[in-house]
Amino acid sequence: MEKSFPLHECHVNKVTIIINRTHAILHSIAILFLIHYRLSFFFQHPQNITIPTLPWLLIFVSELILSFAWFLQQACRWRPVYRNVFPERLPVDDKLPAIDVFICTADPKKEPSVEVMNTMISAMALDYPPEKLHVYISDDAGSDATLRCTKEAWNFAKYWVPFRRKYGLLTACPDVYFSSSEDDNGDYKGSEFKAERKKMEEKYEVLKQGLRKIVEGHFTTNVAINNTRDHPTIIEVINKEEDKVKMPQLIYVSREKRPSHNHNFKAGALNVLLRVSAMISNSSYILILDCDMYCNDPTSARKAMCFYCDSQTPSSLAFVQFPQTFRNISQDDIYDNQIRFVFKVHWYGFDGVGGPIISGSNFYIKREALLGSFNKQQDYMALKRLFGPSNDFIKTLVEDYKPRFIKDGESSRMSLENANILASCSYENQTVWGSKVGFLYFSVAEDYFTGLNLHRKGWKSVYLNPERQQFLGTSTTNLNDSLIQWTRWTSGPVTVALSRFCPLTYGSLKMSLVQVLCYSELAFMPLLNCLSLWGFAIIPQLCLFNGIPLYPKVSDPNFNIFSVILVSSILKSLYEVVTTGEQLKVWRNEWRIWMMRSVTCYTYGCFDVILNKLGMKEATFLPTNKVTDDEQVKLYEMGVFDFRTATVFLAPLVTVILINIAAFVGAVVKALVVDDDGDQYWEKMFGQMFLSFFILISNFAVIEGMIIRRDKAKIPLSSTLWSVVFSMFILLIGSVILC
C-alpha cells in the first residue's frame, strides 16, 4: 500500500499569490498615471512649455524601460509553488535508475585542485547504489596534474566512501566534514568511530598535501601553459576490475582540443561527456556539477528520483533543479553572492508556470531530453547525419544499450577506443550537436539557451529547495571577481535576447505566455537595467545642476504618483526580503549592488554582445577565479568593499557618484545661498534632489572608498582622477546638449 503514496507534493501559497497580484495591479495603475503625466507634457501649447523637451523625453524613456523591466518581473511572481519529496517511499535500490555525474573543470590555476577533488569525492559518496552511480570529471585544460590528482583522490575515496556509509554521515564532502564545527557523527559516537575518524582525517591531510605538490610541480613547466588549447583526447577509467571495495565508477575525460577548432566552452565539454558516457555507462539520468559545487547532502539523488520514479509525474519532466548555495557567505553579504532574488523568489515563480531554467549546476536531467527518443526502426543513416558517424553511439540511442565495461575486458577496450573518437574535436563536424541536440552552443550561457529550447519543445522542469542545502559552492569574495562573473552571466542571456531566438518571439511554441515572460525577463534584465539606470543616474542630475525641474512640485497632486511608485517598490522588496528569512541589511545590499552592476558589468556585458553581433569581437568565456586570498576574505567578512579592480569597472561607478555629488551639493548651495526664494526652489527641485541623495546614501561605500579610506583596498587615486575628468566632461557636454 505504501507504494501507492505519492513521492512528492506541490503546494501553492495562495496568500503570496494574492499579495503579488494585488501589488501588481495597484503598481500598474500608478505607472499608467505616470505615463499620462509624462505624455501630457507633449500636448501642451508651445507657449506653456518652459522645460526643454529632450531631457523630459530621455527621463520618460528611462521610466518606460524600468517599468517594462518591472512588468516582466511580475511573471516570476504570478504563481509561486513549493515542493516536498518523500525519498523514504522510493522503491528498493535494485529498481532505481542509474545516474551519471558530470563535473567540469577548465583551469587548474583558477580552480584549485583540492576543491575540484572534494567535489568529485562528494559525488562518489552520494547515498545511492554504487553500481548505479558513475562519476565523470571533464578536464578541459588537458592538465596532467588534474589526472594525477584524480587518481590520488580516488585512492582516498576508497576509504572515505565506505566510512561515510558505515557511520551514516550527513556530510559527503571530506573538507567540510573535517573543518566544520558542527557535530556530524552520524549514527555512532563510540571509541571505534573516533579512532576511525582520526585515521581518516590523517589520510585527508596527506591527500591535500599531495594534491598541492602535484599542482605546484606542474606549473613549473611550459607544457602546463601551452597545453590548454592544444592536446589530444585522454580518457581513463580510474577504478579497475580488481578493486574490491564496492565503489561508483570514476572516469577521467579530457577532450581533444586544437587551436584551429572552436571548442564551444562548457557546452562543448558537456556534449563530449554525453557521448563518452553513452559508451561506458549510458545512464538515463545525469547530474551536472560545477567543479567547486560539492554535494553537501548525500541524499540529493534520491530526492530527485522522487520526481522521476513517481507514477504521477508526467513523462515530459526534463530536469530537477536545485538552488546554488555557497559555504563562504558572510553575515553582511555585500556582493549579494547568495543571489536571493533568484533562488528564493524567481525560481519558485518559474516553477509554477512550467519550471525554472537550467541554472548551470546542481540539476538532474533526463538524457532523453537532451538527445531525443528513437526506436529500432529508425533510419541509421538519418541518425548518423544528426549525431555523427559512430555506429556504436547510434546503438545507444535506438537500443536498450547496457555497457559491459567492467565485466568484459575486450568490450572495455573497444568502448574506450570508440569513446576516444567521440571526444575528438572534429567529430561534431556536419552534425547537429550544439544546434539541435545536446547542450546548445548559440550562447556562452548554454544553460539558459538549452533550457529555453527544452521548454519550447514541451519539456517541463521542477525546482526543489529542501531545508538542508543539497549542494554548496564557493562564491567570489571581492568586487573584481564578482563583476567579471556577472559580466559573463550578462552576455549569455543578452546574446539570446538580441537574436532570432529572442524569447518574446521564439519561445511560444509549447510554452505559456507567463513562462515566455519569465524567460524574457532573464534575457532582457541586464539591458533594461543598464539603460534605465544610466538615465536615472545622469539625466535628472544634469537638469538639477542647471536648475531644470523634471518632477512635479511637492504641492502638485502629480507628485503623489512618483511617491506611490517609489514607496510601493520599496515596500514590496522589503516584504520579499523579510518573508524569505533575511534581515533588512540584505535589502540595502541588494539595492546597492544592483545599481553598481547596472552601470558596470551589465553595461559591459551588453556592449560585449553588441560588438560580437557587429563582428568586431569574438565571444569569450572567463572562468571565475576560485583561488581565495586571505586578505580579500577578511575584508569580505568585515563587510568592507575591496576596490582593487580594473579602472574600467571603477571609472563609471565613481563617475556616477561624482556627478550626483556635484548636482546635489550645487542644488543645496543654490537653495541656501544663491536663490532668493529658497522655499520655492526646494519645492520645485525636491524630486531630483531626493533622487541624487538616495543614490549617494545607498552608495556611501564608494564615497568612503574615494575619500575616507586609506587601506590598500580603497579606490586608487588614478581611478578617481580619471572619473573627475569624465564627470566634468559629462556635466559640460550634457549641459550644452540638454539645456
Side-chain angles (χ1 to χ4, degrees), residues 610-622:
I610 293 171
L611 290 179
N612 177 255
K613 294 291 183 182
L614 296 174
M616 300 172 64
K617 186 179 185 297
E618 291 187 1
T620 56
F621 183 92
L622 296 175

Side-chain angles (χ1 to χ4, degrees), residues 377-389 391 394:
Q377 286 72 41
Q378 196 77 29
D379 182 3
Y380 267 53
M381 293 307 297
L383 289 178
K384 284 185 178 182
R385 287 192 291 271
L386 296 176
F387 293 95
N391 289 322
I394 300 301

Side-chain angles (χ1 to χ4, degrees), residues 188-334:
Y188 297 83
K189 295 185 180 180
S191 57
E192 178 188 356
F193 165 77
K194 292 179 180 179
E196 284 199 45
R197 186 189 188 281
K198 185 177 180 181
K199 289 181 180 179
M200 194 60 58
E201 188 169 10
E202 291 172 352
K203 289 180 183 293
Y204 180 64
E205 289 300 321
V206 172
L207 171 67
K208 286 198 298 183
Q209 293 175 13
L211 296 180
R212 288 171 181 147
K213 286 181 180 179
I214 291 173
V215 174
E216 289 171 3
H218 180 68
F219 283 109
T220 59
T221 64
N222 291 329
V223 176
I225 300 173
N226 300 327
N227 200 42
T228 56
R229 290 188 57 82
D230 190 4
H231 58 80
T233 299
I234 303 173
I235 301 176
E236 188 167 336
V237 180
I238 306 301
N239 50 330
K240 303 297 182 181
E241 187 177 356
E242 61 269 15
D243 292 325
K244 296 180 180 180
V245 181
K246 204 172 185 181
M247 294 280 289
Q249 204 170 33
L250 176 62
I251 303 95
Y252 170 91
V253 179
S254 179
R255 58 174 171 155
E256 181 188 14
K257 296 181 78 174
R258 302 300 178 193
S260 58
H261 284 75
N262 187 354
H263 302 110
N264 298 302
F265 313 116
K266 181 181 177 182
L270 288 172
N271 283 340
V272 167
L273 289 179
L274 275 174
R275 297 193 294 269
V276 170
S277 64
M279 305 306 304
I280 298 176
S281 53
N282 200 35
S283 299
S284 301
Y285 300 95
I286 300 166
L287 167 62
I288 308 293
L289 291 178
D290 283 343
C291 64
D292 66 325
M293 192 67 68
Y294 66 84
C295 303
N296 183 57
D297 189 333
T299 65
S300 68
R302 292 183 180 272
K303 288 184 170 71
M305 289 305 117
C306 286
F307 294 97
Y308 291 119
C309 296
D310 196 331
S311 59
Q312 303 300 315
T313 301
S315 59
S316 58
L317 177 64
F319 61 93
V320 179
Q321 179 68 61
F322 290 89
Q324 290 191 33
T325 48
F326 304 96
R327 61 186 291 194
N328 61 335
I329 299 293
S330 67
Q331 289 187 347
D332 191 5
D333 182 22
I334 56 176

Side-chain angles (χ1 to χ4, degrees), residues 67-131:
S67 298
F68 182 60
W70 172 86
F71 169 74
L72 292 178
Q73 287 180 0
Q74 303 320 298
C76 296
R77 294 168 170 83
W78 190 250
R79 188 180 179 270
V81 299
Y82 307 86
R83 300 182 184 273
N84 293 323
V85 293
F86 309 100
E88 66 277 5
R89 299 177 183 174
L90 281 171
V92 294
D93 288 358
D94 290 344
K95 294 184 179 181
L96 290 176
I99 297 175
D100 291 340
V101 183
F102 293 173
I103 302 171
C104 294
T105 180
D107 190 337
K109 269 192 173 181
K110 293 185 176 181
E111 299 165 342
S113 292
V114 172
E115 284 194 10
V116 177
M117 295 305 119
N118 267 280
T119 300
M120 184 198 77
I121 294 169
S122 70
M124 299 185 71
L126 284 171
D127 182 17
Y128 209 73
E131 67 277 6

